[in-house]
């Protein structure tokens, strides 16, 4: 399993843990609540769903709304399929939530993990946050060393770009420090939404909508989820 497909499977399981959904609803939630997936296609989602079904982590059910029941005969097609998490799927997702290995600290995986912090235990949240901070501090030190070595050979625009990248990493480190301090003090972040994804915007420590990965403080990463 590739890292990208693993992140997608994690996110799908997490969203379905909140409630069963149609494929269209899933794609919309992935696009709007989890910005790391904002450019991916149905061609990416449905193979993922097929894999989760084969593993026994999801089941398919016919849509049960009045709209679904009417739309199928009129359009000459079957009713929309609803995907529901199985007990095994819930157990698997909880196992994934408990993992705090190096992958959890990487840019896109961290954004997905953070989206479900509302479903994650405090000790695991702390390990992920501290691991992410350590990873960024290492990255920042390398950037500083590289800039010091090449400063004289860079033109003003390239130099400014390098500084911008450093400032982005420094900003995320400060944000992580605030989150870690809140966790240590036993303070949970609160938001109007229920469930793990789309709970709060912690970039500025204020309740709201969870930031997309591109909005998180830190270096931008290319989004290659589209197929």
């Amino acid at each position: 399993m590739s890292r990208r497909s693993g992140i997608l499977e994690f996110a799908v399981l997490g969203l379905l843990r909140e409630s069963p959904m149609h494929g269209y609803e899933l794609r919309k939630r992935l696009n709007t609540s989890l910005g790391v997936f904002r450019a991916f296609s149905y061609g990416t989602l449905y193979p993922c769903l097929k894999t989760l079904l084969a593993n026994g982590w999801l089941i398919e059910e016919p849509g049960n709304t009045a709209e679904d029941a009417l739309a199928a005969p009129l359009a000459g097609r079957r009713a929309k399929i609803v995907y529901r998490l199985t007990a095994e799927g819930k157990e698997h997702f909880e196992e994934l939530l408990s993992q705090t290995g190096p992958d959890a600290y990487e840019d896109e995986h961290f954004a997905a993990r953070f989206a479900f912090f509302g479903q994650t235990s405090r000790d695991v949240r702390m390990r992920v946050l501290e691991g992410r901070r350590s990873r960024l501090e290492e990255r920042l030190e390398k950037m500083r060393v590289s800039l010091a070595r090449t400063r004289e050979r860079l033109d003003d625009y390239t130099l400014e770009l390098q500084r911008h990248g450093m400032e982005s990493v420094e900003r995320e480190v400060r944000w992580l420090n605030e989150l870690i301090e809140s966790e240590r003090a036993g303070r949970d972040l609160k938001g109007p939404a229920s469930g793990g994804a789309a709970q709060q915007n912690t970039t500025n420590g204020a309740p709201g909508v969870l930031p997309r990965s591109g909005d998180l403080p830190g270096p931008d990463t290319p989004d290659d989820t589209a197929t």
Side-chain angles (χ1 to χ4, degrees):
M1 180 193 306
S2 69
R3 177 177 296 176
R4 178 60 60 86
S5 63
I7 298 172
L8 179 57
E9 290 182 9
F10 171 83
V12 168
L13 291 171
L15 290 174
L16 291 177
R17 188 189 187 194
E18 297 174 11
S19 65
M21 295 185 199
H22 301 308
Y24 173 78
E25 293 174 305
L26 264 173
R27 184 172 186 264
K28 184 177 180 181
R29 288 291 304 278
L30 288 164
N31 282 337
T32 58
S33 301
L34 295 172
V36 65
F37 300 111
R38 60 184 176 272
F40 87 111
S41 68
Y42 283 108
T44 302
L45 175 60
Y46 284 102
C48 172
L49 291 171
K50 185 177 180 180
T51 297
L52 296 177
L53 287 164
N55 288 335
W57 297 330
L58 304 182
I59 58 173
E60 291 180 330
E61 298 177 339
N64 56 7
T65 66
E67 181 182 351
D68 290 339
L70 290 173
L74 291 174
R77 56 179 173 78
R78 64 175 184 170
K80 289 181 180 178
I81 294 298
V82 172
Y83 297 93
R84 182 185 297 274
L85 201 64
T86 63
E88 292 80 6
K90 182 178 180 181
E91 182 179 348
H92 179 63
F93 179 69
E94 290 173 351
E95 179 184 345
L96 293 176
L97 277 181
S98 69
Q99 295 178 3
T100 58
D103 279 353
Y105 317 148
E106 299 299 335
D107 294 342
E108 291 180 345
H109 205 151
F110 172 75
R113 287 297 302 270
F114 188 84
F116 295 98
F117 263 22
Q119 302 182 41
T120 306
S121 64
R122 188 184 301 279
D123 62 321
V124 171
R125 294 198 302 262
M126 280 292 293
R127 289 197 293 272
V128 173
L129 290 171
E130 289 175 340
R132 174 66 175 174
R133 180 177 63 179
S134 177
R135 178 63 51 83
L136 290 181
E137 287 174 340
E138 293 174 3
R139 182 184 299 174
L140 188 59
E141 181 60 26
K142 291 178 181 178
M143 294 172 74
R144 287 170 174 162
V145 170
S146 176
L147 183 60
R149 290 175 177 172
T150 61
R151 181 187 300 270
E152 300 302 323
R153 301 195 299 272
L154 299 177
D155 62 52
D156 290 343
Y157 292 101
T158 304
L159 183 60
E160 191 61 29
L161 184 62
Q162 294 292 322
R163 287 172 176 166
H164 173 69
M166 289 178 58
E167 289 172 0
S168 297
V169 178
E170 289 170 343
R171 188 162 57 248
E172 185 171 352
V173 170
R174 290 194 298 269
W175 174 68
L176 289 167
N177 285 337
E178 293 173 1
L179 289 174
I180 290 169
E181 181 180 350
S182 293
E183 292 288 344
R184 285 177 176 165
R187 297 192 298 269
D188 288 321
L189 299 173
K190 302 297 181 182
S194 61
Q199 282 202 11
Q200 60 275 330
N201 182 342
T202 52
T203 304
N204 296 313
V209 178
L210 179 76
R212 297 181 178 185
S213 62
D215 299 331
L216 289 170
D220 292 335
T221 53
D223 192 335
D224 58 358
T225 50
T227 59

